[in-house]
Amino acid sequence: MALESLHTTRQDRVSHSLVGPRLAGAAFVAASAVGFGALGIFGKVAFASGASTAVVLFLRFLVAGVLMAALMPVLRLSWPRGRDFWILVGMGAIGYVGQAFCYFTSLRYASAGLTALLLYLYPALVTLASAALGRQRLTPLKVAAVAASLVGILLTVADGLTGSLSGIAFGAGAAVIYTGYILVGEQVSRRTGAIPAATVIMLAAATVYGCAVIWQGPHWPTGLAGWGAVVGIALFSTVVAMVGFFAGMQRLGAADAATLSTLEPVVTLVLAALILGESLGGVQLAGAALVLGAVVALARAK
């Protein structure tokens, strides 16, 4: 009996040691999802004030990157060096920029619902790729969570799933690029830390978008609401969102973090209803419930 009791005690300790970081990781990803989910709301306000897409993205990453760079010495964090530094630069200058280019190009040739659905193929792609690379085991719970989240997103964006072949190709391209971004980031951020990794990515993306602003000509936001939306994008939808995702991914792995991030469109729907007065139908609510159920099940899994 004593041996059985000791064995049970050890199992409980291991269980608690795993559940603690896992719940913390889920909380980080949930905060990230709220930040990314609010991006569309802030973006609508910024664009309505006259700001161009290039200017919004440039200010987004510039303000966030400068703030993070100033925060690093306060937190006594070191800048990534060598190979890791250049990988992170590529993630920002190529990965983030390429994903955004494909996403916004898809919007030209496909409906917003179809573009969103194609983008959110990335959790399934990340899960399959992580299993193929031997990083995570493909359990029945993970498969069910990914499937439920995909069906949930399909229901939330069910209205107006139309688009041309070009729109579908660019939308799928955004998902593939973001999958690669997450898989690379999983490895690098574990070596560098979430904040240094996010800082380099932000500044690299800001540099590319700054060149785009010079090429296209600047169209700045006007009014307090426009500039306030840009600040909200930089602080909440970039700093909190990116650092939260990397911090969560360090604790959960790329596959589970990607699946939990499917909260993003649910957050966008809720905020659009609360702030913009957009209506929520029964089908959308059912989709949101499916996503939330998948997220809760995955977060509570040991």
Side-chain angles (χ1 to χ4, degrees), residues 251-266:
R251 293 162 175 80
L252 298 173
D256 289 356
T259 303
L260 289 172
S261 68
T262 54
L263 274 172
E264 294 167 22
V266 175

Side-chain angles (χ1 to χ4, degrees), residues 50-56 58-59 209-210 212-221:
S52 65
T53 300
V55 162
V56 170
F58 167 64
L59 292 174
Y209 285 120
V213 170
I214 294 173
W215 177 267
Q216 296 177 0
H219 297 279
W220 306 106

Side-chain angles (χ1 to χ4, degrees), residues 41-49 221-233:
I41 310 300
F42 285 130
K44 284 191 174 184
V45 176
F47 295 142
S49 73
T222 57
L224 185 61
W227 282 103
V230 169
V231 172
I233 288 172

Side-chain angles (χ1 to χ4, degrees), residues 7 10 34 36 46 94 171 240 282:
H7 181 66
R10 287 177 177 174
V34 173
F36 280 128
I94 300 173
V240 172

Side-chain angles (χ1 to χ4, degrees), residues 4-71:
E4 290 180 0
S5 176
L6 179 61
H7 181 66
T8 302
T9 302
R10 287 177 177 174
Q11 281 187 326
D12 290 340
R13 288 176 180 174
V14 171
S15 175
H16 286 303
S17 68
L18 290 175
V19 172
R22 186 167 185 83
L23 289 178
F28 277 121
V29 177
S32 169
V34 173
F36 280 128
L39 178 59
I41 310 300
F42 285 130
K44 284 191 174 184
V45 176
F47 295 142
S49 73
S52 65
T53 300
V55 162
V56 170
L57 292 172
F58 167 64
L59 292 174
R60 172 193 184 188
F61 289 110
L62 178 66
V63 173
V66 170
L67 177 64
M68 296 288 284
L71 189 62

